Each structure stands twice: as structure tokens, then as C-alpha cells.
């Protein structure tokens, strides 16, 4: 019996590549080497609201203290695109008005400068009140 003439026979070499070709595209959906603003923002607290993002080349071009402070995010269900709004601080001076952030979906040009949770300080340290036992054997709280 010659298997090559069988209608169900498929050569392994040709079938193996095409069989798993779709999985290469699935991996791209989960990991991207050059993330865009939305992919960076979804890794931040509150989806990046309150975080500072800068274009990667601004520092090289003499605008080191320039960044976007994100105030609102409206991502699409995929989390890879959408619309972002924020305030621009250009060379240390804050520009007027809330603006839609341009080129937010362009991969590889964004970096996170400060996360929204970085500037938050903890509250006071709380201690449990001490409990003393009176002569009757009942627990009573000491009043300070």
C-alpha cells in the first residue's frame, strides 16, 4: 500500500508549519516588544490615570522635562487601542486645556515616567489598643 497516494495522507513537513502557523499570531496578541500607550497604561494602577508618559525621543531632543499626565482613558475591549486624554507639560511648563493625546496607538514611542501610585504616601501607623484585666477578671480597655 502506497500511503502517498492515499487521499488522507498529508506530508508531515508541509502540515507541521501550517498546523501551528496561527499560534504565532496568538503570541503577538499577548506580548509585544514595543508597546503603545494603552499597553503601558494597562500595567499601571487605575489603567494609567494620573501617570506620566513621555515620548521616548523627547529626552534625546532636548525636552527632558516634557510629558503627558493622563487624566482619562477610554480603551477598546482589546486593551490595545482607544482614546486617551491628558495635560501636556512641555519643557517644565504646563499647557492649558485637556487634550486628546496624539499618537497614543503608535507602538514603541512611549515610556512611563511616573506611575499613578508612586507619589502616594501611606497613612499613619495604627496600633491596637492595649487591653488590661481588672480585679473582677473582665477585660477593660485602658484610656490614654
Amino acid at each position: 500500500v502506497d500511503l502517498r497516494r492515499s487521499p488522507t495522507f498529508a506530508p508531515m513537513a508541509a502540515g507541521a508549519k501550517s498546523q501551528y502557523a496561527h499560534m504565532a499570531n496568538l503570541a503577538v496578541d499577548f506580548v509585544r516588544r514595543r508597546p503603545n500607550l494603552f499597553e503601558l497604561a494597562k500595567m499601571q494602577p487605575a489603567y494609567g490615570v494620573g501617570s506620566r508618559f513621555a515620548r521616548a525621543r523627547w529626552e534625546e531632543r532636548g525636552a527632558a522635562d516634557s510629558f503627558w499626565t493622563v487624566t482619562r482613558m477610554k480603551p477598546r475591549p482589546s486593551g490595545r487601542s482607544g482614546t486617551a486624554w491628558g495635560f501636556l507639560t512641555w519643557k517644565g511648563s504646563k499647557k492649558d486645556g485637556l487634550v486628546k493625546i496624539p499618537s497614543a496607538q503608535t507602538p514603541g514611542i512611549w515610556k512611563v515616567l511616573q506611575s499613578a501610585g508612586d507619589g502616594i504616601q501611606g497613612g499613619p501607623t495604627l496600633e491596637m489598643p492595649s487591653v488590661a484585666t481588672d480585679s473582677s477578671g473582665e477585660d477593660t480597655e485602658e484610656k490614654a
Side-chain angles (χ1 to χ4, degrees):
V1 174
D2 188 6
L3 291 177
R4 286 178 280 163
R5 294 184 185 202
S6 171
T8 59
F9 174 76
M12 285 296 272
K17 282 187 177 179
S18 61
Q19 181 181 0
Y20 298 109
H22 72 283
M23 297 191 80
N25 294 334
L26 290 175
V28 172
D29 288 341
F30 296 111
V31 178
R32 186 190 290 199
R33 286 188 188 177
R34 300 173 44 201
N36 62 23
L37 181 72
F38 296 96
E39 292 166 330
L40 289 172
K42 69 182 175 182
M43 294 185 275
Q44 304 300 317
Y47 212 98
V49 173
S51 298
R52 293 178 177 178
F53 297 91
R55 301 273 299 259
R57 303 204 60 191
W58 283 354
E59 188 173 355
E60 298 170 10
R61 296 180 180 181
D65 51 351
S66 302
F67 54 87
W68 284 97
T69 304
V70 175
T71 57
R72 182 176 171 215
M73 295 288 283
K74 187 177 179 185
R76 292 209 171 89
S78 68
R80 301 186 83 176
S81 61
T83 310
W85 293 268
F87 292 102
L88 175 64
T89 302
W90 184 254
K91 295 186 178 179
S93 64
K94 186 175 178 181
K95 302 293 180 183
D96 293 335
L98 184 64
V99 180
K100 181 179 167 185
I101 299 175
S103 303
Q105 296 178 15
T106 306
I109 64 171
W110 295 100
K111 64 180 180 178
V112 180
L113 292 183
Q114 180 183 10
S115 178
D118 288 349
I120 299 173
Q121 296 179 354
T125 304
L126 300 176
E127 297 178 13
M128 294 293 292
S130 59
V131 178
T133 307
D134 63 0
S135 59
S136 65
E138 294 180 16
D139 291 339
T140 59
E141 292 186 19
E142 290 182 356
K143 306 226 180 189

